[in-house]
Amino acid sequence: MFIISGSLNILAALLFGIFALTLPDFFSYFGLQKPNGYIWYLTCLLFAAIMGFQYFLVGLDISKNHLVVSSGIFSKFASFFVALLFFILGSCNWVPLLLTGVNLVFGALFIEFFVNYKKLDTQEIMAAYSPLKKG
């Protein structure tokens, strides 16, 4: 689940970055206006890709990256609610809402994991994140 979510984040960030820079009418597909500069847009995509990388790491070793799940829950729900707000305000069409609906599903799955996965002992968390860990 985390590997799929992370891969989708990275893929979406790459595609949305490439398409925005190469397709002249890219933003109109979403009911958006083309920005004057791309710094904020590309920075947000970079952060989405970084979060995707973190989800990917969680999928590789759940016991050592359990704490990332809480930020994943927040970011998945936040992205959906931002799209919902802009949809309600009429600033975008239904496409961004539909695309971020996938994040809503993954956010719910992350909550299910967070609640049902065996809680790690504090000592195990400290050992996993210790800079002095013997390896």
Side-chain angles (χ1 to χ4, degrees):
M1 163 180 64
F2 292 108
I3 291 175
I4 292 170
S5 178
S7 299
L8 286 175
N9 264 45
I10 293 168
L11 179 65
L14 285 172
L15 290 177
F16 278 75
I18 291 169
F19 291 158
L21 296 174
T22 58
L23 298 175
D25 294 334
F26 177 72
F27 290 97
S28 65
Y29 296 123
F30 304 102
L32 301 170
Q33 295 178 1
K34 184 177 178 180
N36 292 334
Y38 290 98
I39 185 76
W40 299 112
Y41 177 76
L42 294 176
T43 302
C44 289
L45 290 179
L46 177 64
F47 287 134
I50 290 169
M51 287 298 295
F53 179 69
Q54 290 177 343
Y55 303 147
F56 194 83
L57 291 178
V58 170
L60 293 178
D61 190 353
I62 293 172
S63 66
K64 291 184 181 174
N65 297 300
H66 190 78
L67 297 175
V68 175
V69 177
S70 59
S71 67
I73 292 168
F74 178 74
S75 70
K76 293 292 184 182
F77 281 110
S79 67
F80 174 76
F81 287 118
V82 166
L84 179 63
L85 176 66
F86 278 96
F87 178 75
I88 291 169
L89 294 174
S91 297
C92 68
N93 60 23
W94 59 270
V95 178
L97 187 63
L98 183 65
L99 291 173
T100 57
V102 175
N103 283 344
L104 190 65
V105 172
F106 274 112
L109 290 172
F110 286 8
I111 288 175
E112 190 273 334
F113 166 81
F114 204 69
V115 169
N116 292 322
Y117 187 74
K118 177 184 82 87
K119 296 291 183 196
L120 294 176
D121 182 31
T122 305
Q123 294 298 329
E124 292 175 12
I125 293 172
M126 296 286 285
Y129 290 96
S130 173
L132 303 174
K133 179 174 75 170
K134 297 175 184 157

